Amino acid sequence: MLGPESVSKGCFGFCPKSPAGKKKSKAPAPNPLKIFSNEIWYEGYAKIWNEIGTKLETVEDDVTEKLLSDLLSFITSSEATHQIPTAALLTGINLPDHDVLFGHLIKKIKCEKKVSHKVALLSSSDCCSIKHAIERTVSHLMSGQTKLLESPSSDEEDDLDSEDDENIKQKFVKKSACTMRTLLQWYQNENELSPSKKVKFNKEDKGKLIIILKDFEAISSKVLQDFVQILSGYVNMLPLVLVLGVATTLSSISDNLSHSTTSRLCLKSFQSQPSVYFLNNTLNKVFLSPDCPFQLSGKLFKFFTNVFLFYDFSVNRFTQGIKYCVMEHFREGGSIVGLLCCSEDDFEHNIAKMNHNHLEELRRIDSFKKHIERLKDDQLVDALLNDEDATKKEALKLMRQLRQTIKEFYLCLHILHLLVSQLPNAPLGVQLRELYAVAMTKDITRTDDYKECRQLLEFQAKDQLIMKMNKIITLLNENKSLSGNLQGNLRDFKIKLENAGLNQVKRTPVKIEIRKRSQLKQKVVEMGSIGQSEFEQMRTTLLDYLMYDVLNKALQPPSTNDSKWCFWEILILVETEARHRVVPRIRAPIHVALNNPHHYLQCDCCKMESEDQILPTMPDICIAYKLHLESSCLINMYDWLQSFNLIVNPKGTQGVEVDQKIQARFTQAVAELEFLGFIKSSKRKTDHMEKLTWGGPLHSV
């Protein structure tokens, strides 16, 4: 590695400003996946994700439709008084996707047909001072007619001709001129005459000036108070409306603003749905659906859910993580996944396009191999291994069977959710996603939680059980092609439950001579049913039928290697290294880079013979890092410097004053380690550093 004697040279380029009045069109960002556009896997991936993206947009619009409609009606119906109409939008602290929500709001405001509203969207970075807040507000509100121009230098102003000055004044507003007085004059000029029809505006046709503060709590209280007081001075002349994005509670407004300031606001609160509601709605309508072309494995789905619940509460990041895993699934699966991981209507067309190489890849799939091993017809086995037409026909049959299995799986999962979601303590969970994560990982019918739910259902009252039966029958009516005889059987059970009495049925016990365990078991069951009523006996029969006959067969995970799950590798995204790229492990790569720089630099000067070796040609931060690993919790700075000096300058004499250049290099390396979070200054001992990782005190982490 080169020492500090090297001199860095830089060349700085300055792009000339575009001529006044000419807007430079921005070229769209290039698609990094364009190089795969001709490959089969990318075509299949792009097609299904476009469909998923359309569904996601529809779900987002449906969730926020009522909230945004109420907010828009408040904005349009607000009247000018001595107070500023203010809408407090309680977004919730668990909703980091604020930009998406406010983007929908601005889009809905601009789509208003009757009047044309002007919108200013301000963040905390735009409100570092009252001057910046006013400038941003005025520039955003006037951006529909004018454009904000950064203050040009004096040299540029002198070079402008008189004609250019007039054009600029007509089309641009200087940053220094963005004041409330300028906004008032602009608004009066805009509403005096219509630029197109040259007629006067009616008072009802005038649009509102909407100012949105999307992160209210992050803005300084002093800036907020001054901002509100300035706006209140123009409330009788300008139709101002404030929208405050509040992440915590409504009381934060009174905490950040004084009483004299809040008295100038006419507040009305609007509550948005929590982020968990957005997640459940997105999963139930898009991903946890038999219509989705792909399915998530239990472990991968649980991983993404845990990241959402314990890290960021961001639905957007959740969907982007799934998108990356879907892309990796198609890329690794190649042409087979690109052709067969599609909607059910495209199966026949895509299988017909498969060539010899595609069929050979298909025959190498593990689940298809096991399917062939189960076949007893040798002639059929030979045809599937050698005849392309027979293989295509069998593949089409198995893919349709797999889709049918997935539909039955989801139907029974919904039935189980209706039965157990409201049980005490919810052993299997309350949401459908919790049941899905367990059912896709292992046989849910053999778990202890499933057995506990079965026991709790034995205590269900008659009206509660009949209500659940009605919901299940309604669900089966929507899926008549999958229900079969189940719907008729449940209707019969429902009629019997309604007619069943609550009086105990007295039965004369049959005397059985106990000689075997089976006879003892029969005797115990009979003695337990002597005191049961007719309803209790019917309830037990119904639950046994549902949970052990119906659900037990359909809720089998793909890991059971059942023949009905053949080709599950094509449709189900399994746990791969992709999840480590979605949520990367930062600590391990940093340790590898500092402990063994040759791993990344691939230079001969940093190549070590053993892991404990420290070379003087290594980067300074690597030398300091490896020395700090050898120390205890507290590191003496003088000893650390002497060790660093011996490695960097092995010819130097110990005890002699260290060269200033080496001291500077050591100081920079220590500062970088402190910036990375490995050490910090110790208050217990002077001239000591305290380790924060790998053996450091727990309270410091």
Side-chain angles (χ1 to χ4, degrees), residues 6 72 80 118 267 290 321 358 363 403 429 440 458 480 525 549 646 665:
S6 62
L72 184 60
K118 303 298 179 183
L267 274 171
H358 296 157
R363 294 185 181 112
R403 280 294 180 189
M440 287 294 288
E458 285 286 354
K480 292 184 178 180
V525 171
D549 293 342
L646 287 176
R665 292 168 59 184

mmCIF file with all atom_site columns, all heavy atoms in Angstrom, residues 6 72 80 118 267 290 321 358 363 403 429 440 458 480 525 549 646 665:
data_model
loop_
_atom_site.group_PDB
_atom_site.id
_atom_site.type_symbol
_atom_site.label_atom_id
_atom_site.label_alt_id
_atom_site.label_comp_id
_atom_site.label_asym_id
_atom_site.label_entity_id
_atom_site.label_seq_id
_atom_site.pdbx_PDB_ins_code
_atom_site.Cartn_x
_atom_site.Cartn_y
_atom_site.Cartn_z
_atom_site.occupancy
_atom_site.B_iso_or_equiv
_atom_site.pdbx_formal_charge
_atom_site.auth_seq_id
_atom_site.auth_comp_id
_atom_site.auth_asym_id
_atom_site.auth_atom_id
_atom_site.pdbx_PDB_model_num
ATOM 1   N N   . SER A 1 6   ? 1.787   10.136  -1.115  1.00 0.00 ? 6   SER A N   1
ATOM 2   C CA  . SER A 1 6   ? 1.138   10.304  -2.407  1.00 0.00 ? 6   SER A CA  1
ATOM 3   C C   . SER A 1 6   ? 0.269   11.559  -2.407  1.00 0.00 ? 6   SER A C   1
ATOM 4   O O   . SER A 1 6   ? -0.276  11.959  -1.392  1.00 0.00 ? 6   SER A O   1
ATOM 5   C CB  . SER A 1 6   ? 0.269   9.084   -2.713  1.00 0.00 ? 6   SER A CB  1
ATOM 6   O OG  . SER A 1 6   ? -0.739  8.973   -1.747  1.00 0.00 ? 6   SER A OG  1
ATOM 7   N N   . LEU A 1 72  ? -60.031 15.529  1.598   1.00 0.00 ? 72  LEU A N   1
ATOM 8   C CA  . LEU A 1 72  ? -60.262 16.443  0.481   1.00 0.00 ? 72  LEU A CA  1
ATOM 9   C C   . LEU A 1 72  ? -61.560 17.229  0.664   1.00 0.00 ? 72  LEU A C   1
ATOM 10  O O   . LEU A 1 72  ? -61.622 18.422  0.338   1.00 0.00 ? 72  LEU A O   1
ATOM 11  C CB  . LEU A 1 72  ? -60.293 15.658  -0.830  1.00 0.00 ? 72  LEU A CB  1
ATOM 12  C CG  . LEU A 1 72  ? -60.428 16.479  -2.109  1.00 0.00 ? 72  LEU A CG  1
ATOM 13  C CD1 . LEU A 1 72  ? -59.261 17.452  -2.248  1.00 0.00 ? 72  LEU A CD1 1
ATOM 14  C CD2 . LEU A 1 72  ? -60.514 15.580  -3.330  1.00 0.00 ? 72  LEU A CD2 1
ATOM 15  N N   . ALA A 1 80  ? -62.911 30.748  4.914   1.00 0.00 ? 80  ALA A N   1
ATOM 16  C CA  . ALA A 1 80  ? -61.948 31.701  5.464   1.00 0.00 ? 80  ALA A CA  1
ATOM 17  C C   . ALA A 1 80  ? -62.524 32.371  6.708   1.00 0.00 ? 80  ALA A C   1
ATOM 18  O O   . ALA A 1 80  ? -63.579 32.999  6.656   1.00 0.00 ? 80  ALA A O   1
ATOM 19  C CB  . ALA A 1 80  ? -61.595 32.751  4.417   1.00 0.00 ? 80  ALA A CB  1
ATOM 20  N N   . LYS A 1 118 ? -53.526 24.662  -5.244  1.00 0.00 ? 118 LYS A N   1
ATOM 21  C CA  . LYS A 1 118 ? -52.071 24.721  -5.252  1.00 0.00 ? 118 LYS A CA  1
ATOM 22  C C   . LYS A 1 118 ? -51.560 24.051  -3.981  1.00 0.00 ? 118 LYS A C   1
ATOM 23  O O   . LYS A 1 118 ? -52.100 24.270  -2.895  1.00 0.00 ? 118 LYS A O   1
ATOM 24  C CB  . LYS A 1 118 ? -51.576 26.169  -5.315  1.00 0.00 ? 118 LYS A CB  1
ATOM 25  C CG  . LYS A 1 118 ? -52.094 26.947  -6.522  1.00 0.00 ? 118 LYS A CG  1
ATOM 26  C CD  . LYS A 1 118 ? -51.628 26.336  -7.828  1.00 0.00 ? 118 LYS A CD  1
ATOM 27  C CE  . LYS A 1 118 ? -52.171 27.119  -9.016  1.00 0.00 ? 118 LYS A CE  1
ATOM 28  N NZ  . LYS A 1 118 ? -51.788 26.497  -10.304 1.00 0.00 ? 118 LYS A NZ  1
ATOM 29  N N   . LEU A 1 267 ? -58.571 23.204  14.113  1.00 0.00 ? 267 LEU A N   1
ATOM 30  C CA  . LEU A 1 267 ? -58.061 21.840  13.959  1.00 0.00 ? 267 LEU A CA  1
ATOM 31  C C   . LEU A 1 267 ? -59.177 20.826  13.756  1.00 0.00 ? 267 LEU A C   1
ATOM 32  O O   . LEU A 1 267 ? -60.247 20.921  14.367  1.00 0.00 ? 267 LEU A O   1
ATOM 33  C CB  . LEU A 1 267 ? -57.248 21.438  15.190  1.00 0.00 ? 267 LEU A CB  1
ATOM 34  C CG  . LEU A 1 267 ? -55.769 21.832  15.214  1.00 0.00 ? 267 LEU A CG  1
ATOM 35  C CD1 . LEU A 1 267 ? -55.182 21.552  16.577  1.00 0.00 ? 267 LEU A CD1 1
ATOM 36  C CD2 . LEU A 1 267 ? -55.000 21.081  14.144  1.00 0.00 ? 267 LEU A CD2 1
ATOM 37  N N   . PRO A 1 290 ? -54.561 -17.783 -3.986  1.00 0.00 ? 290 PRO A N   1
ATOM 38  C CA  . PRO A 1 290 ? -54.277 -18.820 -4.995  1.00 0.00 ? 290 PRO A CA  1
ATOM 39  C C   . PRO A 1 290 ? -54.090 -18.257 -6.390  1.00 0.00 ? 290 PRO A C   1
ATOM 40  O O   . PRO A 1 290 ? -53.546 -18.935 -7.265  1.00 0.00 ? 290 PRO A O   1
ATOM 41  C CB  . PRO A 1 290 ? -55.514 -19.731 -4.913  1.00 0.00 ? 290 PRO A CB  1
ATOM 42  C CG  . PRO A 1 290 ? -56.583 -18.877 -4.322  1.00 0.00 ? 290 PRO A CG  1
ATOM 43  C CD  . PRO A 1 290 ? -55.893 -17.930 -3.393  1.00 0.00 ? 290 PRO A CD  1
ATOM 44  N N   . GLY A 1 321 ? -38.609 -6.332  -1.080  1.00 0.00 ? 321 GLY A N   1
ATOM 45  C CA  . GLY A 1 321 ? -37.854 -7.533  -0.730  1.00 0.00 ? 321 GLY A CA  1
ATOM 46  C C   . GLY A 1 321 ? -38.395 -8.772  -1.425  1.00 0.00 ? 321 GLY A C   1
ATOM 47  O O   . GLY A 1 321 ? -37.637 -9.608  -1.927  1.00 0.00 ? 321 GLY A O   1
ATOM 48  N N   . HIS A 1 358 ? -35.399 -27.887 -22.474 1.00 0.00 ? 358 HIS A N   1
ATOM 49  C CA  . HIS A 1 358 ? -36.324 -27.534 -21.392 1.00 0.00 ? 358 HIS A CA  1
ATOM 50  C C   . HIS A 1 358 ? -36.897 -28.776 -20.734 1.00 0.00 ? 358 HIS A C   1
ATOM 51  O O   . HIS A 1 358 ? -37.018 -28.848 -19.498 1.00 0.00 ? 358 HIS A O   1
ATOM 52  C CB  . HIS A 1 358 ? -37.457 -26.666 -21.936 1.00 0.00 ? 358 HIS A CB  1
ATOM 53  C CG  . HIS A 1 358 ? -36.995 -25.341 -22.470 1.00 0.00 ? 358 HIS A CG  1
ATOM 54  N ND1 . HIS A 1 358 ? -37.717 -24.624 -23.399 1.00 0.00 ? 358 HIS A ND1 1
ATOM 55  C CD2 . HIS A 1 358 ? -35.872 -24.616 -22.212 1.00 0.00 ? 358 HIS A CD2 1
ATOM 56  C CE1 . HIS A 1 358 ? -37.069 -23.511 -23.675 1.00 0.00 ? 358 HIS A CE1 1
ATOM 57  N NE2 . HIS A 1 358 ? -35.945 -23.482 -22.972 1.00 0.00 ? 358 HIS A NE2 1
ATOM 58  N N   . ARG A 1 363 ? -37.154 -32.868 -16.266 1.00 0.00 ? 363 ARG A N   1
ATOM 59  C CA  . ARG A 1 363 ? -37.018 -34.232 -15.745 1.00 0.00 ? 363 ARG A CA  1
ATOM 60  C C   . ARG A 1 363 ? -36.027 -34.315 -14.589 1.00 0.00 ? 363 ARG A C   1
ATOM 61  O O   . ARG A 1 363 ? -36.047 -35.284 -13.828 1.00 0.00 ? 363 ARG A O   1
ATOM 62  C CB  . ARG A 1 363 ? -36.571 -35.171 -16.874 1.00 0.00 ? 363 ARG A CB  1
ATOM 63  C CG  . ARG A 1 363 ? -37.602 -35.344 -17.989 1.00 0.00 ? 363 ARG A CG  1
ATOM 64  C CD  . ARG A 1 363 ? -37.141 -36.368 -19.011 1.00 0.00 ? 363 ARG A CD  1
ATOM 65  N NE  . ARG A 1 363 ? -38.102 -36.531 -20.095 1.00 0.00 ? 363 ARG A NE  1
ATOM 66  C CZ  . ARG A 1 363 ? -37.878 -36.155 -21.350 1.00 0.00 ? 363 ARG A CZ  1
ATOM 67  N NH1 . ARG A 1 363 ? -36.715 -35.604 -21.679 1.00 0.00 ? 363 ARG A NH1 1
ATOM 68  N NH2 . ARG A 1 363 ? -38.800 -36.330 -22.278 1.00 0.00 ? 363 ARG A NH2 1
ATOM 69  N N   . ARG A 1 403 ? -51.861 -26.451 -9.104  1.00 0.00 ? 403 ARG A N   1
ATOM 70  C CA  . ARG A 1 403 ? -52.688 -25.260 -8.899  1.00 0.00 ? 403 ARG A CA  1
ATOM 71  C C   . ARG A 1 403 ? -53.956 -25.602 -8.115  1.00 0.00 ? 403 ARG A C   1
ATOM 72  O O   . ARG A 1 403 ? -54.387 -24.840 -7.247  1.00 0.00 ? 403 ARG A O   1
ATOM 73  C CB  . ARG A 1 403 ? -53.067 -24.652 -10.251 1.00 0.00 ? 403 ARG A CB  1
ATOM 74  C CG  . ARG A 1 403 ? -51.988 -23.805 -10.871 1.00 0.00 ? 403 ARG A CG  1
ATOM 75  C CD  . ARG A 1 403 ? -51.747 -22.569 -10.046 1.00 0.00 ? 403 ARG A CD  1
ATOM 76  N NE  . ARG A 1 403 ? -50.717 -21.719 -10.613 1.00 0.00 ? 403 ARG A NE  1
ATOM 77  C CZ  . ARG A 1 403 ? -50.203 -20.678 -10.006 1.00 0.00 ? 403 ARG A CZ  1
ATOM 78  N NH1 . ARG A 1 403 ? -50.590 -20.372 -8.783  1.00 0.00 ? 403 ARG A NH1 1
ATOM 79  N NH2 . ARG A 1 403 ? -49.273 -19.944 -10.581 1.00 0.00 ? 403 ARG A NH2 1
ATOM 80  N N   . GLY A 1 429 ? -52.550 -18.063 16.370  1.00 0.00 ? 429 GLY A N   1
ATOM 81  C CA  . GLY A 1 429 ? -52.463 -16.703 15.868  1.00 0.00 ? 429 GLY A CA  1
ATOM 82  C C   . GLY A 1 429 ? -53.821 -16.148 15.490  1.00 0.00 ? 429 GLY A C   1
ATOM 83  O O   . GLY A 1 429 ? -54.814 -16.874 15.374  1.00 0.00 ? 429 GLY A O   1
ATOM 84  N N   . MET A 1 440 ? -47.024 -23.722 5.875   1.00 0.00 ? 440 MET A N   1
ATOM 85  C CA  . MET A 1 440 ? -46.082 -23.948 4.779   1.00 0.00 ? 440 MET A CA  1
ATOM 86  C C   . MET A 1 440 ? -44.756 -24.520 5.263   1.00 0.00 ? 440 MET A C   1
ATOM 87  O O   . MET A 1 440 ? -43.947 -24.978 4.452   1.00 0.00 ? 440 MET A O   1
ATOM 88  C CB  . MET A 1 440 ? -45.827 -22.637 4.035   1.00 0.00 ? 440 MET A CB  1
ATOM 89  C CG  . MET A 1 440 ? -46.988 -22.179 3.172   1.00 0.00 ? 440 MET A CG  1
ATOM 90  S SD  . MET A 1 440 ? -47.327 -23.278 1.782   1.00 0.00 ? 440 MET A SD  1
ATOM 91  C CE  . MET A 1 440 ? -45.926 -22.929 0.727   1.00 0.00 ? 440 MET A CE  1
ATOM 92  N N   . GLU A 1 458 ? -63.994 -27.246 21.925  1.00 0.00 ? 458 GLU A N   1
ATOM 93  C CA  . GLU A 1 458 ? -64.967 -28.079 22.635  1.00 0.00 ? 458 GLU A CA  1
ATOM 94  C C   . GLU A 1 458 ? -65.799 -27.262 23.630  1.00 0.00 ? 458 GLU A C   1
ATOM 95  O O   . GLU A 1 458 ? -66.840 -27.724 24.087  1.00 0.00 ? 458 GLU A O   1
ATOM 96  C CB  . GLU A 1 458 ? -64.246 -29.203 23.389  1.00 0.00 ? 458 GLU A CB  1
ATOM 97  C CG  . GLU A 1 458 ? -63.759 -30.330 22.502  1.00 0.00 ? 458 GLU A CG  1
ATOM 98  C CD  . GLU A 1 458 ? -64.889 -31.230 22.026  1.00 0.00 ? 458 GLU A CD  1
ATOM 99  O OE1 . GLU A 1 458 ? -66.039 -31.034 22.487  1.00 0.00 ? 458 GLU A OE1 1
ATOM 100 O OE2 . GLU A 1 458 ? -64.635 -32.110 21.198  1.00 0.00 ? 458 GLU A OE2 1
ATOM 101 N N   . LYS A 1 480 ? -67.394 -22.819 -5.012  1.00 0.00 ? 480 LYS A N   1
ATOM 102 C CA  . LYS A 1 480 ? -68.185 -24.032 -5.216  1.00 0.00 ? 480 LYS A CA  1
ATOM 103 C C   . LYS A 1 480 ? -67.406 -25.107 -5.957  1.00 0.00 ? 480 LYS A C   1
ATOM 104 O O   . LYS A 1 480 ? -67.625 -26.298 -5.754  1.00 0.00 ? 480 LYS A O   1
ATOM 105 C CB  . LYS A 1 480 ? -69.456 -23.691 -5.987  1.00 0.00 ? 480 LYS A CB  1
ATOM 106 C CG  . LYS A 1 480 ? -70.443 -22.845 -5.189  1.00 0.00 ? 480 LYS A CG  1
ATOM 107 C CD  . LYS A 1 480 ? -71.722 -22.610 -5.973  1.00 0.00 ? 480 LYS A CD  1
ATOM 108 C CE  . LYS A 1 480 ? -72.720 -21.798 -5.152  1.00 0.00 ? 480 LYS A CE  1
ATOM 109 N NZ  . LYS A 1 480 ? -73.978 -21.543 -5.889  1.00 0.00 ? 480 LYS A NZ  1
ATOM 110 N N   . VAL A 1 525 ? -64.181 -43.878 26.666  1.00 0.00 ? 525 VAL A N   1
ATOM 111 C CA  . VAL A 1 525 ? -64.909 -42.959 25.783  1.00 0.00 ? 525 VAL A CA  1
ATOM 112 C C   . VAL A 1 525 ? -66.400 -43.026 26.051  1.00 0.00 ? 525 VAL A C   1
ATOM 113 O O   . VAL A 1 525 ? -67.106 -42.009 26.090  1.00 0.00 ? 525 VAL A O   1
ATOM 114 C CB  . VAL A 1 525 ? -64.596 -43.280 24.308  1.00 0.00 ? 525 VAL A CB  1
ATOM 115 C CG1 . VAL A 1 525 ? -65.502 -42.485 23.378  1.00 0.00 ? 525 VAL A CG1 1
ATOM 116 C CG2 . VAL A 1 525 ? -63.135 -42.994 23.999  1.00 0.00 ? 525 VAL A CG2 1
ATOM 117 N N   . ASP A 1 549 ? -60.644 -34.842 9.333   1.00 0.00 ? 549 ASP A N   1
ATOM 118 C CA  . ASP A 1 549 ? -60.941 -35.442 8.034   1.00 0.00 ? 549 ASP A CA  1
ATOM 119 C C   . ASP A 1 549 ? -60.706 -34.468 6.880   1.00 0.00 ? 549 ASP A C   1
ATOM 120 O O   . ASP A 1 549 ? -60.095 -34.828 5.871   1.00 0.00 ? 549 ASP A O   1
ATOM 121 C CB  . ASP A 1 549 ? -62.393 -35.938 7.997   1.00 0.00 ? 549 ASP A CB  1
ATOM 122 C CG  . ASP A 1 549 ? -62.619 -37.104 8.947   1.00 0.00 ? 549 ASP A CG  1
ATOM 123 O OD1 . ASP A 1 549 ? -61.614 -37.727 9.353   1.00 0.00 ? 549 ASP A OD1 1
ATOM 124 O OD2 . ASP A 1 549 ? -63.780 -37.380 9.297   1.00 0.00 ? 549 ASP A OD2 1
ATOM 125 N N   . LEU A 1 646 ? 5.858   0.148   15.933  1.00 0.00 ? 646 LEU A N   1
ATOM 126 C CA  . LEU A 1 646 ? 6.771   -0.972  15.693  1.00 0.00 ? 646 LEU A CA  1
ATOM 127 C C   . LEU A 1 646 ? 6.423   -1.729  14.414  1.00 0.00 ? 646 LEU A C   1
ATOM 128 O O   . LEU A 1 646 ? 7.304   -2.263  13.735  1.00 0.00 ? 646 LEU A O   1
ATOM 129 C CB  . LEU A 1 646 ? 6.744   -1.927  16.885  1.00 0.00 ? 646 LEU A CB  1
ATOM 130 C CG  . LEU A 1 646 ? 7.450   -1.443  18.158  1.00 0.00 ? 646 LEU A CG  1
ATOM 131 C CD1 . LEU A 1 646 ? 7.258   -2.441  19.281  1.00 0.00 ? 646 LEU A CD1 1
ATOM 132 C CD2 . LEU A 1 646 ? 8.938   -1.230  17.883  1.00 0.00 ? 646 LEU A CD2 1
ATOM 133 N N   . ARG A 1 665 ? -1.080  9.323   11.170  1.00 0.00 ? 665 ARG A N   1
ATOM 134 C CA  . ARG A 1 665 ? -1.717  8.138   10.583  1.00 0.00 ? 665 ARG A CA  1
ATOM 135 C C   . ARG A 1 665 ? -2.437  7.326   11.653  1.00 0.00 ? 665 ARG A C   1
ATOM 136 O O   . ARG A 1 665 ? -3.548  6.822   11.438  1.00 0.00 ? 665 ARG A O   1
ATOM 137 C CB  . ARG A 1 665 ? -0.658  7.287   9.879   1.00 0.00 ? 665 ARG A CB  1
ATOM 138 C CG  . ARG A 1 665 ? -0.070  7.941   8.637   1.00 0.00 ? 665 ARG A CG  1
ATOM 139 C CD  . ARG A 1 665 ? 1.172   7.205   8.150   1.00 0.00 ? 665 ARG A CD  1
ATOM 140 N NE  . ARG A 1 665 ? 0.895   5.809   7.837   1.00 0.00 ? 665 ARG A NE  1
ATOM 141 C CZ  . ARG A 1 665 ? 1.836   4.935   7.461   1.00 0.00 ? 665 ARG A CZ  1
ATOM 142 N NH1 . ARG A 1 665 ? 3.108   5.325   7.355   1.00 0.00 ? 665 ARG A NH1 1
ATOM 143 N NH2 . ARG A 1 665 ? 1.510   3.690   7.191   1.00 0.00 ? 665 ARG A NH2 1
#
